[in-house]
Amino acid sequence: MTVDIKWAELGFEYMNLPYRWRAYWKDGEWYKSGLETENTIQIEEGAPILHYGQGAFEGLKAFKTKEGDIQIFRPDQNAKRLNASAARLVMPEVPEEDFIHAVKEVVKANAEYVPPYGTGASFYLRPTLIGVGDNIGVHAAKEYIFTVFAMPVGPYFKGGMVPTAFTTSEFDRAAPHGTGAAKVGGNYAGSLQPGIEAREKGYSDVVYLDPATHTKIEEVGSANFFGIEKDTNKFVTPKSPSILPSITKYSLLWLAQHRLGLEVEEGDVYIDDLDRFSEAGACGTAAVISPVSFITHNDHKHVFYSETEVGPITKKLYDELVGIQNGDVEAPEGWIVKV
């Protein structure tokens, strides 16, 4: 079957594909799983996901290679992170092998929707775990649904990888010792207002500072931050218990050290010490890398490499990672799962 999709015109939008994977949990075990065709989920009005936000999700991608093979990028890491989020919200674990099996089955069942090599588009998967069942008290659900749905998405950078601007915010993304390290819906719901306000002022999104002191960078919008240190070219990224551990960031950390031969560091990145960096970027599944042109903080504008051009190390990291995802560059062991 050939689908009629203009791959070059795809954005990052929902699409109702023929198949998704569902598994159901009750009485201490996963009791049913398989492909389903219905894109709606019927849940009880007392479901904890609705009232208390007991739910977590993931995002990962599959790619078609030049040879026509389909491969998934690091699904084991998404499985581990989902289970870390589940533990924080007192939800049952989805066994890693079951997670990877579900992702592979969704890709295979919807294979005609995986964008062709060279289009710049990819196949985005959204695994989700939610608490359901009859409930009204503030306690963990007695039933859960694990679902994986997917859709083709276009390249994040329609006009090429162009640097964009960010501004700091007085809002906090997450509380100290809260759920910042878990991929849960409340973290994103709380980011909507500051994100809208930043875009109304002409910025791409906001830079969130640490909630305790508001002196250190934590995240950039819904992505992790990195900087390339002047003179040393060291790859530096923030470390904090309230930052979501980005799979893209840790992939870039490895590539910076082992493929580009750079020194790497996870540590404090102070907002008043941006002069130490010649380049900066935000990284995540959707964009891979979004170069940061400048950050405005307390009415001071700090420009990194350029307001219009991508820095050379940022570009090398982007090309290396995208090359691995598309099958053009040899992947480190275990990073690629063939479908």
Side-chain angles (χ1 to χ4, degrees):
M1 175 182 173
T2 302
V3 297
D4 184 20
I5 294 177
K6 294 181 174 62
W7 304 108
E9 298 177 10
L10 282 174
F12 197 83
E13 304 290 342
Y14 173 79
M15 187 182 297
N16 180 10
L17 268 54
Y19 299 100
R20 66 275 304 134
W21 182 272
R22 300 257 168 81
Y24 301 84
W25 189 96
K26 188 177 182 180
D27 298 329
E29 62 181 356
W30 294 101
Y31 66 93
K32 184 175 71 169
S33 62
L35 292 169
E36 297 186 8
T37 58
E38 180 56 57
N39 74 325
T40 60
I41 299 174
Q42 183 172 337
I43 61 176
E44 296 79 2
E45 60 187 355
I49 182 61
L50 297 177
H51 303 274
Y52 308 122
Q54 196 189 22
F57 67 97
E58 280 297 321
L60 67 158
K61 287 180 176 178
F63 304 84
K64 189 168 285 186
T65 68
K66 188 183 297 183
E67 293 73 27
D69 298 327
I70 299 174
Q71 57 186 35
I72 307 168
F73 184 72
R74 308 196 76 177
D76 60 318
Q77 298 303 304
N78 291 95
K80 289 179 173 66
R81 192 170 66 179
L82 180 69
N83 285 330
S85 298
R88 180 64 179 83
L89 268 60
V90 199
M91 299 192 293
E93 178 180 285
V94 178
E96 186 174 319
E97 61 272 21
D98 293 348
F99 180 101
I100 295 174
H101 176 72
V103 167
K104 290 175 68 174
E105 289 300 302
V106 171
V107 175
K108 285 193 289 186
N110 298 291
E112 63 268 28
Y113 291 90
V114 179
Y117 173 85
T119 60
S122 57
F123 194 68
Y124 182 81
L125 296 119
R126 174 57 64 84
T128 307
L129 177 63
I130 59 174
V132 298
D134 295 322
N135 183 83
I136 197 62
V138 184
H139 53 73
K142 296 179 181 178
E143 300 178 39
Y144 297 87
I145 296 174
F146 171 62
T147 180
V148 182
F149 63 96
M151 69 222 68
V153 296
Y156 196 85
F157 304 108
K158 287 297 185 184
M161 194 168 61
V162 178
T164 56
F166 295 82
T167 182
T168 54
S169 173
E170 295 181 355
F171 288 96
D172 290 331
R173 175 185 163 272
H177 311 293
T179 58
K183 197 168 176 67
V184 298
N187 294 344
Y188 295 83
S191 73
L192 297 177
Q193 182 181 348
I196 290 171
E197 292 180 0
R199 286 185 285 275
E200 287 176 346
K201 296 176 182 176
Y203 298 98
S204 292
D205 212 326
V206 303
V207 175
Y208 291 104
L209 304 178
D210 70 293
T213 70
H214 276 213
T215 62
K216 295 175 283 189
I217 291 178
E218 292 224 322
E219 292 203 12
V220 185
S222 57
N224 278 197
F225 175 87
F226 72 85
I228 305 299
E229 200 170 60
K230 291 178 180 177
D231 302 324
T232 67
N233 287 338
K234 182 192 294 184
F235 181 100
V236 180
T237 187
K239 186 175 181 63
S240 164
S242 54
I243 293 177
L244 180 72
S246 166
I247 293 159
T248 303
K249 181 186 83 170
Y250 283 109
S251 299
L252 292 174
L253 265 169
W254 193 94
L255 293 173
Q257 182 176 16
H258 296 279
R259 292 284 173 89
L260 272 62
L262 304 179
E263 187 180 352
V264 299
E265 175 189 318
E266 271 192 287
D268 292 336
V269 177
Y270 289 93
I271 190 63
D272 290 331
D273 193 25
L274 295 181
D275 284 339
R276 68 185 285 207
F277 300 116
S278 58
E279 302 177 35
C283 55
T285 298
V288 184
I289 293 176
S290 177
V292 178
S293 57
F294 65 86
I295 291 175
T296 299
H297 175 62
N298 290 338
D299 297 323
H300 173 71
K301 175 181 173 181
H302 178 86
V303 179
F304 294 98
Y305 181 77
S306 166
E307 292 190 41
T308 57
E309 298 180 9
V310 181
I313 294 177
T314 299
K315 183 65 165 56
K316 286 180 183 178
L317 286 167
Y318 178 85
D319 289 344
E320 188 76 12
L321 184 54
V322 170
I324 290 169
Q325 293 174 334
N326 288 320
D328 297 328
V329 174
E330 183 180 356
E333 185 177 356
W335 281 27
I336 295 298
V337 171
K338 298 284 188 179
V339 176

